[in-house]
Amino acid sequence: MRPILLQGHERSLTQIKYTKDGDILFSCAKDQVICAWFSANGERLGTYHGHQGALWTVDIDPSTTLLASGAADNTVRLWDIRTGKCVKVWNFDTAVKRVDFNEDGTRLLAVTEKRMGFLGTIVVLDVIVDVEAEQSDEKALVITCDESKATVAAWSYLSRYIIAGHEDGSVSQYDGKTGELIYNSPAHEEGMQVTDLQMSSDRTYFITASKDKSAKLHSSRDLTLLKTYLSDTPLNTAAITPKKPFVILGGGQAAMDVTTTGARQGKFEARFYHKVFEDEIGRVKGHFGPLNTVAVDPLGRGYASGGEDGYVRVHAFDRGYFDFGYEVEREVGGAGAGGY
Amino acid sequence: MLGTTVPAGKLIPQRSIGVCETIRQLVGIMAPSFDNLTEDNGTYDSEEEIDFSDLKEQYDVRLEQGLDAFVVADGLPIVPEESKPKLVKFLIKQLNKVGKVKEDGFFMPVNDQGKTEGYAFVEYHTPQQAIAATKQLHGTAIDKKHTFAINKLTDIERYGREGRIDDDYQPPNIPDFQEKEHLRWWLGDPNSRDQFVMLRGDNLGVFWNKKKDPPEQIIDRANWTESHIMWSPLGTYLATMHSRGVQLWGGPSWTRQTRFPHPLVNLIEFSPGEKYITTWSFKPIEVAEDDPILSQDEEGKNYIIWDVATGRVLRSFHMHDLPTPPESETGQPVKKKIPWPAFKWSSDDKYVARMLEGESISVYELPKMTQLDKKAIKIEGVMDFEWAPALPQRDSVKTYEQLFCFWTPEIGSNPAKVGLMSIPSKEIVRTRNLFNVTDAKLHWQSQAAYVCVKVDRHSKSKKSLATNLEIFRVREKGVPVEVVDSIKDTVINFAWEPKGDRFVLITTAEVVMTTAVPPKTAVSFFCPEKIKGAGVGNFKHIQTIEKKNSNGIYWSPKGRFVVVGTVHSQQSFDLDFWDLDFEGEKPESEKDLTANLKHMNTADHYGVTDVDWDPTGRYVFSTASMWKHTMESGYHLYDFKGELLREEHIDKFKQLSWRPRPPTLLSKEEQKTIRKNLREYSKDFEEQDRIEEDKEKGAIVEERRRVLNEWLAWREREEEELKAERRELGLPESLEDHDEADADGKTNGEGAVVEEIVEEVLDEIEEVA
């Protein structure tokens, strides 16, 4: 089916997020505006203005009440999704590269950049899921990354751990309450930045994407490496599909190289891999720049990709997608459904 | 700098031991050994630039005055004192062949019985001369009964000192015969698969071709070669290149068979029968004094011709000085390419020849590597030559001969010439005069039945170029020449059908310039016309395909099929597969031709740089190497019909090469029978293929089942654990309602549409009329 092309941004996309129900899509880009879209038809619901710098990240609390965003203006903002009003601004020393709500929306983590003498940190903020409430200015927890700065981070199941991906290619597990580093494992090639980290729907495992051209699936409990997906291009993003056992990877040559080489070398495609068998099973073309972010509908009906080219492409999965399965999977007993 | 070590393997004759005592009396104490100093001094020199010229001088002087210029000449005739002067005179004459013996530098002791001892001490003017004497005179005959044994005096002391050598004869330890692995083992593959070698990054691996399936790796070693790789022409050895030389590998366990320690070797070339190998380095060879294989003869040379079986040097050569490069129009000197291969082999490994451009061709006879009739063959102006690639079978010539073809340009008022010379008789079999020649290229047909000389001619004004083909029919009486001059454009590529008599050529109207846009080219096919009776008819044009960009012609090694493609181009990268004996209907207009041309398929391989047919003509690899460009390196595998079987992108892919096969051992009749019963055989093979496929599929399915069950088990454990933890915390077992619903069934799959209309009063203005 033809994807819906969302042309609401003027600069390259940085992150896309679906709401829990998958009906609304939030996108942010370097043009300082957050857009909300109906995922079903691509109609724009509204925009959120206020940031004074390139937006790097957004997240929605599970009840779709509050929207959190982080930007290069060194702030994290909390928005009333319904009205588009900014309800809270937290100031930091450096740009905020990633925000993530925990599974009940009461805690928000923010990853700050290492710059101007400030070390990269992961900050935890307590949030009251109510647009009227007075949010605390207090930083509940600050984890300083003195080894290698964190580039991405997310909450595990039960908010027990904070999982972070680092610039040096390693992945860390911190205690969600104390911020203590429990374990650091060299997940990707040394020095190859972890570019994305997305949790499975129950947050018990997660996928990391890296510049080393691979994506990896790890357990949240002990960082065990579960699966490896190899591609032929540096990856910027990876997502796990619910309902079907796939993962979607996106990337492409570095944006700075795009003008110097042919388009066919760009590899600006979303790649589908089988989550369990690690085989590539399909590709979706369309973008004419590297893919910066991929998000999947939590109900598994479609996915959206945002590219360096400034467009969001929203795809609805068609029948072939749902019918696809290895013979072995059918044998094992129609296990294609949500459970795995 | 003062590197003086001792040849390790040198044998000292038994008698020399007795000499030791005398030496001691003669010399007293040994000069201090500098061996330990050498390296240290070298590093100081480069790193800290300490001025130690005073030290150096001191050591230098000592060296000169030391014992390095002394040799012991042993094995001499024993004569009474009165005939000693005569012998001394004779010996000095002999010894002066390699250097200059000092005035009073010859001492031959006489014993109590008034007889000479059979040895003498000799002092040369320089240590180099002394070394030359040990290398060149040692083991040479003095007269019928006596043989020189020349050793450095210091060696005698070093090895001959008491206790250094056992007085009793110890038989040399000759290891038992070790059976080597069969070097042609790969030909015994029950499925007759072919091997290929692939170099990607620093890893070099050999694989079995498995058609559509990933190739089966036989071996993979990191850093196995330092640059490229090469199979020997019959596939027996795999040659790897290293800064210290070339190594050959073979056998099922890929053990090293031979080494050719040519330092900084750049290029190698096997003889067609892989008996010999030529190695070349741009940098002249520097031979260390203790080199076990290279001798001082190799010092400063660029080429070495080796015997593959023994790993020994046959002969080494200097590079010819390249003729001073002509200046191009812009005044920049044109870089001249090093001609490679410089040494060209006759088809039976009997002769190897090298051309001195414009002057002569030197033909060497193997295995002695002596020049045929001891002198080069003078051919004034010779520009190029090529050996016949097979034993020529000229009409009514019964004696053994090899042929080579050469050409000379116009010199003064003499026309350009193409000639065929027979070796060893050096008789010119045929010549042909040509006019207005700009350049000529010599193309032999693989069975030496024809040689086609592609002659680029210019018009009188030298403005336009055209190409003539002068085809020498070598096997026919008198070697008639047929001229194909119907070609109006410049021919940029030409190729004979292997073991056939058809050819393909590519022409271009424009002069090939180095522009971004590749020139438009046309591909033409030629074949002989049908004639009554035996013999081959005149060459006729079959078809020309215009408006292509093709530049490469790749015939199947078995003939009939040919790939014409565009390589090394950014804009076009098509590969056309042609069949010259199409079994379908033949157009009426071509009924007199011995070919039925059919275009079978066109393949696209972006950035293709090389095309390689497997030795059986069943498969074709097209490859894109990172040596040429960095885009999408990897390979495509096609069958002979041009159907893509497999493609793989490999990072840092460099080189891929099929393992050649030796010629078949089956007689012509046997081959014919096989061809006749091909259908029956193919049935078996298809059956085998199917079984294989099923087996592999089974294995894959089994593996998948295992992986899937493992995953499901892990998930189940995780979920149980999570539920337990949630219960502990007093939370509901599952995170959310609809997740539960999903687990039960897909009730929520479609999603209930809830429409909610929110009305918000933004502003209210009451207008009063």
Side-chain angles (χ1 to χ4, degrees), chain B residues 120-223:
Chain B
F121 300 96
V122 182
E123 187 184 6
Y124 277 100
H125 272 276
T126 64
Q128 283 75 32
Q129 289 173 5
I131 291 164
T134 59
K135 294 250 174 190
Q136 291 172 37
L137 292 180
H138 182 80
T140 56
I142 305 170
D143 58 25
K144 272 180 192 155
K145 284 183 189 158
H146 298 86
T147 310
F148 265 131
I150 308 242
N151 287 290
K152 282 164 69 185
L153 187 62
T154 50
D155 284 356
I156 302 277
E157 175 68 10
R158 183 165 301 175
Y159 298 112
R161 199 184 290 171
E162 245 168 279
R164 288 280 172 108
I165 288 175
D166 206 331
D167 283 343
D168 300 320
Y169 171 71
Q170 298 286 344
N173 185 18
I174 298 168
D176 289 337
F177 173 71
Q178 299 263 334
E179 190 155 0
K180 279 204 172 180
E181 290 174 325
H182 201 299
L183 291 176
R184 286 191 173 170
W185 63 281
W186 89 98
L187 297 172
D189 181 57
N191 296 325
S192 289
R193 293 174 300 176
D194 276 290
Q195 285 186 1
F196 61 88
V197 62
M198 182 157 58
L199 177 63
R200 58 262 189 269
D202 294 326
N203 281 44
L204 179 61
V206 183
F207 301 83
W208 288 112
N209 172 26
K210 301 260 283 174
K211 297 180 265 188
K212 282 187 176 147
D213 300 317
E216 181 186 326
Q217 184 165 302
I218 303 161
I219 190 166
D220 193 65
R221 290 180 188 166
N223 302 315

Side-chain angles (χ1 to χ4, degrees), chain A residues 74-307:
Chain A
N74 303 352
T75 62
V76 169
R77 283 166 201 252
L78 212 56
W79 311 81
D80 178 355
I81 291 182
R82 195 180 282 264
T83 62
K85 280 182 193 133
C86 179
V87 296
K88 178 72 191 168
V89 179
W90 283 281
N91 282 298
F92 293 91
D93 297 321
T94 55
V96 179
K97 297 304 285 276
R98 182 60 69 114
V99 291
D100 189 52
F101 276 108
N102 70 342
E103 59 190 16
D104 58 8
T106 55
R107 309 186 91 195
L108 177 71
L109 69 78
V111 177
T112 66
E113 183 67 277
K114 174 185 177 181
R115 196 152 291 162
M116 298 183 297
F118 296 104
L119 287 170
T121 61
I122 302 169
V123 178
V124 177
L125 305 161
D126 284 327
V127 176
I128 304 160
V129 190
D130 181 355
V131 293
E132 302 296 332
E134 181 75 19
Q135 304 289 350
S136 161
D137 271 326
E138 198 83 359
K139 289 163 188 169
L141 186 64
V142 178
I143 303 167
T144 308
C145 308
D146 35 17
E147 283 274 329
S148 172
K149 75 171 186 200
T151 49
V152 287
W155 291 97
S156 81
Y157 63 97
L158 298 170
S159 314
R160 185 155 288 174
Y161 310 113
I162 293 171
I163 311 284
H166 296 270
E167 198 181 23
D168 65 358
S170 67
V171 173
S172 299
Q173 186 190 46
Y174 298 96
D175 188 294
K177 287 203 179 69
T178 65
E180 193 188 332
L181 175 66
I182 301 169
Y183 192 60
N184 176 282
S185 102
H188 289 276
E189 253 174 67
E190 174 94 37
M192 293 298 207
Q193 189 190 335
V194 178
T195 47
D196 198 8
L197 190 157
Q198 294 195 24
M199 283 285 169
S200 70
S201 47
D202 65 358
R203 295 181 188 250
T204 55
Y205 60 98
F206 61 94
I207 190 165
T208 56
S210 165
K211 291 284 179 203
D212 73 358
K213 304 184 178 179
S214 74
K216 294 183 180 188
L217 210 62
H218 315 259
S219 151
S220 305
R221 190 180 300 279
D222 49 14
L223 300 190
T224 318
L225 177 64
L226 300 171
K227 300 286 171 190
T228 302
Y229 312 99
L230 297 174
S231 80
D232 56 357
T233 184
L235 294 176
N236 294 331
T237 179
I240 304 166
T241 61
K243 295 271 162 26
K244 296 290 284 183
F246 306 141
V247 296
I248 308 174
L249 316 184
Q253 61 185 154
M256 58 185 291
D257 298 332
V258 172
T259 51
T260 59
T261 49
R264 47 181 303 138
Q265 219 200 328
K267 307 184 167 125
F268 312 132
E269 296 145 332
R271 294 127 194 276
F272 283 71
Y273 284 70
H274 196 283
K275 185 167 73 185
V276 181
F277 303 134
E278 306 175 336
D279 297 332
E280 183 172 337
I281 50 177
R283 288 189 190 193
V284 177
K285 281 190 210 170
H287 283 284
F288 48 89
L291 269 72
N292 287 341
T293 174
V294 166
V296 187
D297 178 353
L299 301 186
R301 293 168 299 195
Y303 83 99
S305 55

Side-chain angles (χ1 to χ4, degrees), chain A residues 60-72:
Chain A
I60 310 119
D61 89 285
S63 61
T64 319
T65 315
L66 293 169
L67 174 72
S69 61

Side-chain angles (χ1 to χ4, degrees), chain B residues 593-604:
Chain B
L593 300 176
T594 53
N596 189 9
L597 189 67
K598 170 83 177 168
H599 179 234
M600 295 188 292
N601 221 331
T602 299
D604 263 348

